[in-house]
Amino acid sequence: MDIILLGPPGAGKGTQAERLVKDFSLSHVSTGEIFRAELKNATPLGEKIKKVMATGGLVSDDIVLEVVGSHVKKNESLNFLFDGFPRTVPQAEGLDKILATSSRELTAIVYVNVSDAEVVRRLSSRRSCKTCSSIYNVATGPFPAAGQKCSRCGGDIVERADDKESVVKERLSVYRTQTAPLIDYYSGIAPRKFIETDGSAPIDEVYDAIKAAVKDRLAGGR
Ligand code: AMP
């Protein structure tokens, strides 16, 4: 059972991912997190992708597919939740091949739909923990602990460099041109597995809708 979480930056995918991972015993594969770790550790890959990440562009499909392909191969016994991947149609086609090679199949593609205006509003008030990457939002919550410390690990809360307004606008435009075509791609090739939710609803409501729909797909329903 593998699931894809799709939606613009700031749709709340990270928050929903945490819950899905727990309830369905999934292994969270966030390509954004993987790349941020490469940057933090100043690896050769980190050096290669530094500029494109800082400006809100996309890492090349070849690199992304190589990273995800080897991760899937190394952890074949796990069920995956892909978050922030695929991001382009060629990545989706590459994922189809990766899954087919290991006789795996997608259970659901969860699309969290949020307007551009809401994305800009949310991301400009989003903060994250420097240590454990937990997400906070100074306008809508969850709020960090006093002194801008992480409520989970006590780490420092910072604004991600790519959450600055100019970069957010670039990320959104990249999303609309390169990632949004995946909505047609998946609703076309896998209409029964495609789940659309209104991401502007309260977090718990969005999650309840996603959870019920995933359960339904697992039971083989429509
Ligand atoms: P995210 O945390 O998912 O918003 O990702 C942060 C940044 O990492 C993106 O703005 C891209 O530069 C890069 N990135 C993450 N996932 C992908 C992907 N699947 N394809 C290309 N670039 C990606």
Side-chain angles (χ1 to χ4, degrees):
M1 142 183 200
D2 295 324
I3 295 179
I4 290 174
L5 202 47
L6 181 66
K13 297 192 298 294
T15 310
Q16 302 301 340
E18 260 180 40
R19 299 178 182 201
L20 281 167
V21 160
K22 219 189 258 166
D23 284 346
F24 295 97
S25 304
L26 300 168
S27 168
H28 189 192
V29 181
S30 158
T31 42
E33 281 301 311
I34 293 173
F35 293 142
R36 273 187 291 282
E38 298 284 337
L39 278 186
K40 199 170 162 187
N41 298 325
T43 63
L45 175 58
E47 284 304 312
K48 228 182 196 172
I49 61 178
K50 201 171 176 175
K51 198 166 160 204
V52 77
M53 282 192 68
T55 50
L58 290 185
V59 175
S60 76
D61 291 336
D62 288 354
I63 293 180
V64 178
L65 286 169
E66 169 67 37
V67 165
V68 174
S70 72
H71 185 86
V72 169
K73 220 182 206 172
K74 262 191 244 150
N75 300 282
E76 251 177 331
S77 61
L78 302 176
N79 293 317
F80 298 113
L81 175 68
F82 296 108
D83 168 9
F85 169 86
R87 221 60 163 226
T88 63
V89 171
Q91 285 182 24
E93 290 166 348
L95 176 63
D96 289 345
K97 284 191 197 129
I98 291 169
L99 297 179
T101 309
S102 315
S103 307
R104 309 178 72 100
E105 215 184 305
L106 289 171
T107 297
I109 300 97
V110 178
Y111 167 45
V112 186
N113 190 358
V114 178
S115 72
D116 286 9
E118 179 65 8
V119 165
V120 174
R121 193 182 74 81
R122 286 186 188 181
L123 291 190
S124 51
S125 50
R126 181 162 89 167
R127 302 289 183 269
S128 75
C129 173
K130 220 173 159 180
T131 311
C132 73
S133 304
S134 289
I135 298 285
Y136 296 92
N137 194 299
V138 293
T140 58
F143 301 99
Q148 296 280 295
K149 294 288 180 191
C150 178
S151 317
R152 286 205 181 134
C153 75
D156 288 334
I157 303 293
V158 294
E159 179 174 36
R160 256 169 54 180
D162 60 353
D163 281 345
K164 305 245 183 283
E165 197 172 328
S166 60
V167 184
V168 166
K169 291 210 166 125
E170 175 59 20
R171 287 167 71 202
L172 250 181
S173 128
V174 167
Y175 172 79
R176 291 289 165 215
T177 53
Q178 310 221 46
T179 307
L182 290 177
I183 298 163
D184 282 347
Y185 178 83
Y186 281 119
S187 56
I189 66 164
R192 286 172 173 276
K193 296 177 180 177
F194 190 78
I195 298 166
E196 177 166 354
T197 52
D198 174 10
S200 63
I203 291 176
D204 290 346
E205 244 173 66
V206 178
Y207 185 64
D208 288 347
I210 293 176
K211 188 176 172 184
V214 169
K215 273 191 174 165
D216 177 65
R217 297 316 185 275
L218 277 173
R222 187 359 332 204

